[in-house]
Amino acid sequence: MNAIETEGLTRYYGDLCAVDNLNLSVDNEIFALLGPNGSGKTTTVLMLTTLLAPTKGRASVCGHDVQREGEKVRRALSYVPQDMAVDIKLTGRENVRFFADLYGVPHAADRVDEALAVMELTDRADDLIRTYSGGMRRRLELAQALVHEPSVLFLDEPTIGLDVAARKRIWEHIRALRRKGMTVFVTTHYMDEADQFCDRVGIISQGRIAALGTPAELKARLMKDVITARVEGPFTPPEVDGVAFVGRSGDEVSFTAGNGREALPLLADALKNNGCVVRSMALREPTLDDVFLQAVGRQEEPQGFAFDKFRIMLRRRK
Amino acid sequence: MNGIVAYMKRDFLKWGRGRVAVVSSLVMPAAWLVFVGLALPVQFTGNYLDFIVPGILVMTMLTAGLSGGALLMFDKILGFLNKFLALPAPRSSILIGKILFITGRGLVQATIILAIALLIGASLLDPVQYGITYLVLFLFGVLISGFATTIALYLEDHDSYAAFNTMISMPLFFTSSALMPYSVMPGWLAMIARLNPLSYAIDAVREVTAGGFPAGAILLLLVLDAAFLAICLRVFRKVTI
């Protein structure tokens, strides 16, 4: 049994298809749903957390159907939405205790202390949230979400609006949860974070999965490494295994290679043997950004901005 | 049940920390007590303060209820509601907890107003009478907060709700039996006042102070409460899923 399973999951807002026939299985990993704004990430999470009914298809969390067994699903998961919602007039401890009470956690006081300690908030636990930084508020939300030890954690844009250090810290915490066996489902549009911290990513565009796999797989599948070199003298394209010549512009020549790091010295030798002087070489690995752009295409809105549909969508989302 | 208590506890904690709000909500009913209750020269009764106290108590519940209507809407706008809805506690406990908090807060304010009234010369009642008075105020508070919460959820916008609040609070008060008995009202006003739900509560409290038991009014308030809670739950379900 996978922690999260969807089968033909579909959601329409009016005649706008926000999520289109989504099939996913996620288990015991950090799974990131990547996509541009309005691609259906949040809608998917809302359906999986029982906050929105699917139009078609089904989904289950820990073996419980999201539509028929809502309460069991909600018992198994925790959800941290995108907008940071913590009570600023309450202390950190009170905020977490509130959630412990709502979950009906036994030995609530101890569990609250534990959750605060895991998120490194013990020192500030009795301060009002008003005095917390953005990163601390996010960690407090994670502490709220962890207080009942869920099997599945849903995080909608967990690092949005945070500075670099705070982001890194949040991700380290997420990694630690994953090591303890929790399944983490995140949505984000920060490619570098997904690349660095997630086990598997699904790129979603217009409600459909455009690419699915580990970041390394996706990068390997969709693109090769890019090598550029500045050369002087007579140039003839060298024959090196696994390297393809792409083109020349001025004194710059470019190649693609399956494994750029290994191809780099071979290519340098081959160029020298062919009689040209190599001034500089650069190797660029494809990033998830490249994969994303290749999978999704440039995000130009083809038929202008559909205000009506957008309004319907906003109204439903509130 | 745990859920309801937890939601109420959260709101009471938050309310207690906003000192300005706690005091400011008492200023208006206290001002009515002092400046109208003590000062208005009326002929129909020898003790106008005793006459107006039930009206002011109900007005306190009304203001508390109407201003509390926006609370659940704010929880929704600020994203709290989405977090709450993803919790295993029954979803209706979010709404029930909110209505009970708004009503409870109103009762706390009404108690302070009652204390002020006693200080400036209102007559003391016996404990049973206070018990029945609180029951009436509670039932009325549930009615108003259920109504206000429904409207706010339906309007889904703070400015519209504030406008609605200003629009109805004063007219509701002036067209009730708070300030004068039906006998001295002009005919058209008496007719409106008899239909005004505020009057049910005010008349019921007056009946209590006169030594009676307002069974009819309590029954009517119970029926209205049940009806409004049902409507409110429906609107709540509709806006949350």
Side-chain angles (χ1 to χ4, degrees):
Chain A
M1 180 192 76
N2 285 325
I4 303 169
E5 194 88 59
T6 77
E7 236 174 75
L9 193 65
T10 303
R11 171 73 204 198
Y12 280 89
Y13 293 118
D15 60 355
L16 176 88
C17 187
V19 172
D20 189 2
N21 204 21
L22 194 70
N23 296 300
L24 272 182
S25 352
V26 177
D27 196 32
N28 205 16
E29 60 185 325
I30 301 178
F31 181 86
L33 203 55
L34 290 179
N37 297 325
S39 57
K41 298 187 299 281
T42 298
T43 305
T44 305
V45 171
L46 288 179
M47 285 192 284
L48 291 174
T49 51
T50 76
L51 297 184
L52 189 70
T55 313
K56 269 202 305 249
R58 30 165 258 101
S60 65
V61 174
C62 293
H64 305 299
D65 187 274
V66 294
Q67 282 190 279
R68 282 180 288 111
E69 302 168 286
E71 208 218 303
K72 281 185 184 155
V73 170
R74 291 194 285 273
R75 240 169 231 299
L77 64 80
S78 271
Y79 168 45
V80 181
Q82 187 175 329
D83 359 56
M84 236 179 265
V86 280
D87 287 309
I88 58 166
K89 283 183 186 168
L90 303 189
T91 66
R93 192 186 305 281
E94 284 165 344
N95 264 294
V96 179
R97 180 57 195 253
F98 171 46
F99 270 63
D101 290 345
L102 287 172
Y103 280 115
V105 174
H107 312 295
D110 296 340
R111 274 302 301 154
V112 170
D113 286 342
E114 244 173 83
L116 285 165
V118 168
M119 285 300 140
E120 301 171 70
L121 288 169
T122 307
D123 298 347
R124 301 286 307 276
D126 294 308
D127 295 348
L128 293 183
I129 303 306
R130 200 197 298 279
T131 65
Y132 279 32
S133 68
M136 291 175 72
R137 289 181 193 194
R138 201 41 126 186
R139 289 201 325 265
L140 185 77
E141 287 203 294
L142 286 177
Q144 287 181 321
L146 296 177
V147 75
H148 75 130
E149 304 181 296
S151 324
V152 185
L153 182 59
F154 287 92
L155 304 171
D156 201 354
E157 303 281 2
T159 56
I160 204 159
L162 301 183
D163 65 41
V164 182
R167 280 183 195 185
K168 188 146 178 289
R169 206 155 168 198
I170 294 284
W171 278 110
E172 277 160 8
H173 283 301
I174 296 174
R175 298 286 294 184
L177 295 173
R178 150 86 182 79
R179 278 195 293 278
K180 280 197 236 157
M182 201 178 288
T183 299
V184 186
F185 188 106
V186 297
T187 74
T188 182
H189 51 236
Y190 296 123
M191 302 296 152
D192 52 328
E193 293 184 2
D195 195 350
Q196 216 179 328
F197 300 107
C198 298
D199 299 316
R200 218 152 54 95
V201 300
I203 294 178
I204 185 171
S205 165
Q206 297 177 335
R208 260 178 251 131
I209 291 284
L212 184 70
T214 67
E217 261 171 35
L218 287 180
K219 286 184 291 191
R221 191 191 309 162
L222 282 163
M223 236 188 225
K224 295 175 170 176
D225 289 349
V226 181
I227 300 173
T228 53
R230 272 184 51 227
V231 293
E232 275 173 21
F235 173 78
T236 44
E239 300 277 325
V240 182
D241 273 348
V243 176
F245 174 62
V246 175
R248 173 175 190 161
S249 74
D251 60 353
E252 191 173 276
V253 289
S254 51
F255 307 87
T256 62
N259 186 332
R261 286 169 201 275
E262 284 172 15
L264 209 52
L266 299 176
L267 189 61
D269 289 346
L271 284 169
K272 216 180 290 171
N273 291 344
N274 278 7
C276 56
V277 183
V278 180
R279 288 288 170 207
S280 72
M281 289 185 93
L283 167 68
R284 189 168 71 82
E285 285 178 16
T287 62
L288 217 47
D289 282 291
D290 299 316
V291 175
F292 182 79
L293 286 177
Q294 188 159 329
V296 171
R298 302 243 166 227
Q299 286 299 293
E300 319 231 37
E301 322 240 341
Q303 56 293 83
F305 192 72
F307 267 109
D308 292 348
K309 288 181 179 176
F310 184 65
R311 247 199 325 263
I312 291 173
M313 213 164 78
L314 279 187
R315 205 176 306 143
R316 299 289 168 89
R317 266 205 51 192
K318 261 196 272 179
Chain B
M1 198 57 208
N2 280 339
I4 296 177
V5 174
Y7 287 123
M8 280 177 71
K9 194 175 134 198
R10 163 192 180 233
D11 278 328
F12 270 112
L13 273 174
K14 281 170 69 176
W15 180 53
R17 303 245 159 101
R19 291 188 193 86
V20 177
V22 172
V23 174
S24 71
S25 60
L26 292 170
V27 170
M28 188 147 75
W32 272 91
L33 263 187
V34 177
F35 300 121
V36 180
L38 287 183
L40 207 65
V42 290
Q43 272 92 51
F44 59 85
T45 171
N47 189 340
Y48 188 55
L49 186 63
D50 270 348
F51 180 84
I52 205 177
V53 164
I56 302 300
L57 290 178
V58 170
M59 175 207 205
T60 308
M61 297 303 291
L62 174 74
T63 332
L66 287 177
S67 67
L71 288 173
L72 195 55
M73 179 184 64
F74 272 122
D75 276 350
K76 184 168 185 231
I77 294 173
L78 297 178
F80 286 98
L81 193 57
N82 262 0
K83 284 173 91 171
F84 298 163
L85 290 170
L87 295 173
R91 288 176 171 178
S92 56
S93 60
I94 302 171
L95 182 68
I96 306 288
K98 193 63 84 187
I99 287 176
L100 288 180
F101 162 69
I102 300 169
T103 308
R105 180 176 74 174
L107 288 176
V108 172
Q109 293 171 352
T111 306
I112 298 170
I113 293 301
L114 196 58
I116 297 174
L118 291 175
L119 277 178
I120 62 173
S123 321
L124 195 64
L125 305 177
D126 70 55
V128 179
Q129 284 175 307
Y130 281 127
I132 306 169
T133 302
Y134 272 88
L135 174 69
V136 171
L137 292 179
F138 172 79
L139 291 175
F140 177 73
V142 170
L143 176 65
I144 287 297
S145 46
F147 167 73
T149 302
T150 310
I151 298 286
L153 278 179
Y154 184 75
L155 291 175
E156 254 191 27
D157 157 39
H158 172 238
D159 290 336
S160 316
Y161 181 72
F164 170 81
N165 190 351
T166 332
M167 179 183 80
I168 71 158
S169 59
M170 277 298 118
L172 263 179
F173 180 65
F174 286 124
T175 59
S176 74
S177 57
L179 299 175
M180 56 190 117
Y182 300 108
S183 53
V184 303
M185 287 180 195
W188 57 269
L189 182 59
M191 204 175 68
I192 302 171
R194 280 181 196 284
L195 296 174
N196 187 333
L198 252 70
S199 307
Y200 310 160
I202 296 167
D203 295 348
V205 177
R206 283 203 184 117
E207 203 178 325
V208 174
T209 47
F213 181 78
I218 287 176
L219 198 69
L220 184 63
L221 283 172
L222 271 173
V223 171
L224 286 175
D225 279 358
F228 265 94
L229 283 182
I231 296 170
C232 196
L233 219 51
R234 261 185 80 111
V235 173
F236 180 68
R237 292 230 168 90
K238 225 168 105 183
V239 298
T240 50
I241 261 288

